[in-house]
Amino acid sequence: MYLTREEERILDGECGWANQTCMKILVRLGELFNGRRLIPISTAHVSGISYKTLGDAPIEFLRALADANGKVKVKTTLNPQGLDPEYLAKRLPNNLCQKQLDILEQFERMGSTPSLTCTPYHLEKPDRGSHLAWAESSAVVYANSVLGAWTNREGGPSALAAAIVGKTPDYGMHRAANRQPSILVNIEAELQNETDFGALGIHLGKLLRDKVPAIQGLQKTSKDSLKQLSAAIATTGMANMFHCGTCPREKKMEEITVEDKDVRRAIDELSTAPSKKPDLVFIGCPHCSVDEMKQVAKLARGKKVKPGTEFWVCTSNHVREAAGDCVREIEKSGGHVLAGVCTVVSWTEKLGIQTIMTNSAKTAYYAPNLSKAETILSPMKECLKAALQG
Ligand code: F3S
């Protein structure tokens, strides 16, 4: 891979251990995936922030980078942590809270923005055509497909390395040729709500593997529905973007069709306990937008959370502040608007939660393994009916 004189100096350790280590990570990745050079990025987004998913060993690596004066060169946002400081921190063991604080401190020492969200685009939308190094798979697919930015699906370490160097190798989704569709998907299913879009993503992710699809026939495509589709495609497959609407067919492409039965099957498979009473009703995977906060608040108005049920709405601090009236409405009903966290990366099993109802196909997919919970996957309206009474 071609390196400039300045990049070679960093690789040789002339700019310190932290920069050298990060440059080594990027050069190794570039060599593995046939990168030709490093290109500047406008932002980075780092995952693996929750102590639950990170574990102990990487904390020492983060501390070593911060001790060696590793500093991010571009705006660097962070994925959700394992608890929020108000509600969950009081209910979870103190040692988990301390470890979580330690992780956040290391990222802050390196100059990251403690956004703690998987929807960094709600905070600041990247420019079309800008190159990013983002590590949250749902945000990667959304950024490439909906926002028109260019990013590979980074891992936590490579996103942090790119943030510290301010560059990333130019392979994969950073090249125009790799962003062209290679498979045509005809949607014949009627997608009626956000959960159907998520189920479509789960179904497609398995079929597409890493192919870029041109999806035709999507109706009612709100940004929030596309957010569910993005999250779910990335959950079961390696596709990093999709095209939707009418796409020029420059070459003959493989074609697949999705019917109602495919979407229904995906929903059924993700509902492991459809007739159980949920311990937790959860909205906010990926983190809620202001529009979604409005929808939840409207459905919660004048109602009360049922006894024996937890009701969580997860979002970023940024959206929580922007949707203050909605937050008050939801909290009046007895629900909790939790900022900077989500059920999947928190320790719901330690709170005795065994059945989770959600409108998110991604959460329903991960909950049996990561949260040791049974699942009910239903649209937001149904979730709120199960959570609230009156
Ligand atoms: Fe975000 Fe947690 Fe879902 S990080 S995408 S809310 S699993």
Side-chain angles (χ1 to χ4, degrees):
M1 199 168 73
Y2 168 78
L3 295 182
T4 64
R5 178 74 201 102
E6 174 65 16
E7 290 160 357
E8 273 177 357
R9 283 182 55 234
I10 297 173
L11 190 62
D12 290 342
E14 286 181 36
C15 302
W17 177 82
N19 286 304
Q20 182 186 32
T21 304
C22 293
M23 184 59 93
K24 277 186 185 168
I25 293 173
L26 299 181
V27 169
R28 184 81 192 106
L29 265 179
E31 285 170 354
L32 266 176
F33 294 105
N34 295 322
R36 290 167 298 202
R37 64 194 173 103
L38 293 174
I39 48 172
I41 53 167
S42 54
T43 60
H45 179 77
V46 182
S47 63
I49 308 302
S50 164
Y51 175 53
K52 177 179 175 177
T53 52
L54 191 69
D56 282 305
I59 302 179
E60 292 320 309
F61 176 65
L62 293 175
R63 197 186 320 284
L65 282 178
D67 285 349
N69 213 21
K71 292 271 184 266
V72 299
K73 293 207 177 49
V74 294
K75 178 155 188 182
T76 302
T77 45
L78 304 178
N79 236 22
Q81 58 171 333
L83 45 87
D84 71 307
E86 272 108 51
Y87 183 61
L88 294 176
K90 293 186 187 112
R91 300 186 57 197
L92 287 165
N94 191 38
N95 69 314
L96 298 180
C97 304
Q98 291 311 318
K99 291 277 189 185
Q100 187 61 72
L101 278 176
D102 190 9
I103 294 167
L104 292 190
E105 190 189 329
Q106 305 320 317
F107 279 111
E108 268 182 55
R109 290 173 69 206
M110 289 186 263
S112 311
T113 306
S115 56
L116 304 175
T117 183
C118 47
T119 55
Y121 43 86
H122 289 156
L123 205 64
E124 194 176 314
K125 219 194 277 177
D127 291 337
R128 286 194 92 75
S130 58
H131 292 271
L132 321 173
W134 283 15
E136 160 57 43
S137 64
S138 64
V140 166
V141 177
Y142 190 88
N144 281 319
S145 316
V146 181
L147 304 177
W150 296 33
T151 178
N152 281 325
R153 189 186 301 196
E154 302 291 345
S158 67
L160 182 58
I164 286 177
V165 172
K167 295 179 180 178
T168 193
D170 70 338
Y171 67 90
M173 302 310 287
H174 294 290
R175 292 197 193 162
N178 297 333
R179 301 174 65 87
Q180 294 305 311
S182 58
I183 180 166
L184 189 69
V185 178
N186 294 305
I187 305 296
E188 287 183 1
E190 264 206 48
L191 305 170
Q192 293 175 355
N193 51 56
E194 75 285 3
T195 301
D196 287 351
F197 274 83
L200 168 67
I202 294 287
H203 174 69
L204 281 182
K206 291 180 195 163
L207 296 178
L208 297 170
R209 296 171 194 276
D210 63 352
K211 289 182 197 143
V212 174
I215 305 178
Q216 286 194 153
L218 287 182
Q219 326 93 0
K220 291 195 208 151
T221 43
S222 70
K223 292 260 165 64
D224 288 320
S225 293
L226 294 177
K227 183 177 73 171
Q228 290 297 332
L229 176 62
S230 302
I233 279 188
T235 297
T236 48
M238 286 309 291
N240 284 327
M241 79 175 283
F242 58 83
H243 297 267
C244 67
T246 35
C247 212
R249 295 172 69 173
E250 283 159 14
K251 54 180 184 208
K252 186 147 178 46
M253 284 192 276
E254 182 188 343
E255 260 185 64
I256 55 173
T257 298
V258 179
E259 300 173 32
D260 279 323
K261 65 176 169 42
D262 300 312
V263 174
R264 298 275 78 80
R265 193 189 322 114
I267 291 178
D268 289 347
E269 284 174 5
L270 291 169
S271 297
T272 62
S275 51
K276 276 203 176 166
K277 179 182 165 306
D279 303 313
L280 168 65
V281 175
F282 165 54
I283 306 290
C285 171
H287 274 174
C288 281
S289 64
V290 171
D291 266 1
E292 287 171 313
M293 294 293 291
K294 286 182 186 162
Q295 288 169 42
V296 176
K298 195 169 163 203
L299 291 167
R301 193 161 301 145
K303 305 233 164 70
K304 286 282 171 224
V305 172
K306 290 180 186 169
T309 306
E310 292 259 343
F311 175 39
W312 298 359
V313 180
C314 288
T315 187
S316 59
N317 267 306
H318 172 77
V319 167
R320 196 181 193 283
E321 274 169 31
D325 289 348
C326 304
V327 173
R328 280 184 283 284
E329 194 75 65
I330 296 165
E331 289 182 342
K332 217 159 97 189
S333 77
H336 298 278
V337 179
L338 307 181
V341 65
C342 81
T343 60
V344 173
V345 301
S346 187
W347 294 269
T348 49
E349 66 284 7
K350 291 194 189 297
L351 304 173
I353 289 164
Q354 293 175 346
T355 308
I356 297 175
M357 183 173 192
T358 180
N359 64 341
S360 159
K362 177 172 178 175
T363 288
Y365 184 90
Y366 282 121
N369 268 332
L370 291 178
S371 307
K372 306 282 171 278
E374 295 191 279
T375 52
I376 307 160
L377 177 61
S378 277
M380 184 193 287
K381 273 190 191 151
E382 298 303 316
C383 287
L384 267 84
K385 255 191 222 161
L388 304 167
Q389 63 187 12

